[in-house]
Amino acid sequence: KPDFTAVTFLALAASQFREIRSIERKTLENLEENELVGRGSDYIEGIARTFEARNYLVMATALLTSIAHELGKWPAALVLAVLAILFARAFMAGETIGDICEVVPARLWFNKDGVLMVEDIGFVNIGLREMREKIVAEGLAVLIRPKNADARATIHDLGQRQAIAHTVAVLLGTKKDVDLPEYTPMARKNPDTGEVGLYTVPVEKDMEALILAVKRAPVLESARSRPLKTEAGRLAARP
């Protein structure tokens, strides 16, 4: 007589995994209130999706390994388990900003009207002279240059830019506090060139570390765009 116990538990686990995304999303949204530099709703949704996907990958790996054991005993199960784990790691790695963009140091300065500039990208007006001097002395800036039209569309997404700023703040620290909004890491785009400038006042002033942090920022699934996959996008991208 067939035993469907394992199938029953498999179906039960799958139904529970569907709740994981909402639980993780709610947890991160609650924590967002206390973040000096927030993740943003797009980043939170991406993390929640990743948590859900990881559970499905674990379940699939266990299922395939069990089938391999039944068909070929331990040697087959061991080989398939290793292959499944390697596939899962590669699948979950995802793209980073360093894969689709170049990140280079940029000049941080103020124009005559007191507007904070990264190269020729305007950010925000800083009124206090002492604050402007401190930002120029301790701040860092980079330019994020997209490698193609797909990358340009991706980094123009507001959620993607917020994710980059959050990653930089987490990895390098930030001198921002509740009463120092001027130190908030920000990313703004140049509408003419498609480049994105990023400014921050880190705890440790290290340009190499900043470039590496930006490159390691994840590309959000919700921000990912593929205009070059369409004829209209290819025509628009022609020089």
Side-chain angles (χ1 to χ4, degrees):
K1 185 178 180 179
D3 186 355
F4 295 102
T5 303
V7 176
T8 302
F9 276 104
L10 191 64
L12 179 62
S15 65
Q16 291 297 315
F17 290 162
R18 286 195 292 268
E19 300 297 324
I20 289 178
R21 184 196 297 190
S22 60
I23 294 172
E24 183 65 19
R25 183 193 302 114
K26 185 175 181 180
T27 300
L28 292 174
E29 287 174 347
N30 291 336
L31 294 174
E32 188 80 349
E33 299 176 1
N34 296 321
E35 291 281 356
L36 287 174
V37 182
R39 296 177 180 86
S41 57
D42 289 1
Y43 198 1
I44 288 175
E45 184 63 27
I47 295 173
R49 288 180 181 178
T50 300
F51 266 75
E52 182 183 16
R54 283 176 178 172
N55 284 276
Y56 284 117
L57 284 174
V58 170
M59 185 172 64
T61 300
L63 177 62
L64 292 174
T65 303
S66 299
I67 293 174
H69 179 266
E70 288 297 319
L71 298 177
K73 301 305 178 182
W74 284 109
L78 182 61
V79 171
L80 195 143
V82 171
L83 292 176
I85 291 172
L86 292 176
F87 170 79
R89 287 176 62 88
F91 179 78
M92 294 303 300
E95 278 188 315
T96 62
I97 292 299
D99 296 326
I100 65 173
C101 298
E102 296 178 3
V103 184
V104 298
R107 177 191 175 203
L108 185 65
W109 60 289
F110 284 90
N111 65 14
K112 62 180 181 180
D113 297 320
V115 176
L116 175 63
M117 307 288 293
V118 173
E119 296 296 344
D120 55 352
I121 304 173
F123 276 65
V124 64
N125 186 282
I126 305 294
L128 294 177
R129 178 180 176 182
E130 295 80 6
M131 187 65 71
R132 293 200 297 266
E133 292 175 350
K134 189 174 181 65
I135 288 174
V136 171
E138 301 180 10
L140 290 174
V142 294
L143 276 181
I144 306 171
R145 293 173 174 166
K147 295 180 180 179
N148 53 41
D150 288 346
R152 181 174 64 245
T154 298
I155 64 173
H156 283 189
D157 182 84
L158 289 175
Q160 180 64 67
R161 283 186 266 162
Q162 182 61 33
I164 296 172
H166 173 78
T167 301
V168 167
V170 169
L171 296 182
L172 272 69
T174 176
K175 293 188 177 180
K176 177 189 177 181
D177 207 342
V178 291
D179 58 343
L180 293 171
E182 296 88 352
Y183 291 165
T184 302
M186 291 180 285
R188 298 287 186 271
K189 74 174 183 178
N190 184 327
D192 298 321
T193 65
E195 297 174 336
V196 168
L198 181 133
Y199 141 80
T200 184
V201 182
V203 174
E204 298 293 338
K205 188 176 180 180
D206 188 325
M207 178 58 74
E208 184 179 354
L210 174 59
I211 292 175
L212 185 59
V214 173
K215 286 183 176 181
R216 288 187 175 179
V219 174
L220 304 183
E221 190 64 33
S222 60
R224 195 187 306 273
S225 298
R226 293 286 188 268
L228 292 180
K229 295 290 185 181
T230 66
E231 183 178 359
R234 290 191 294 270
L235 290 174
R238 289 187 305 182

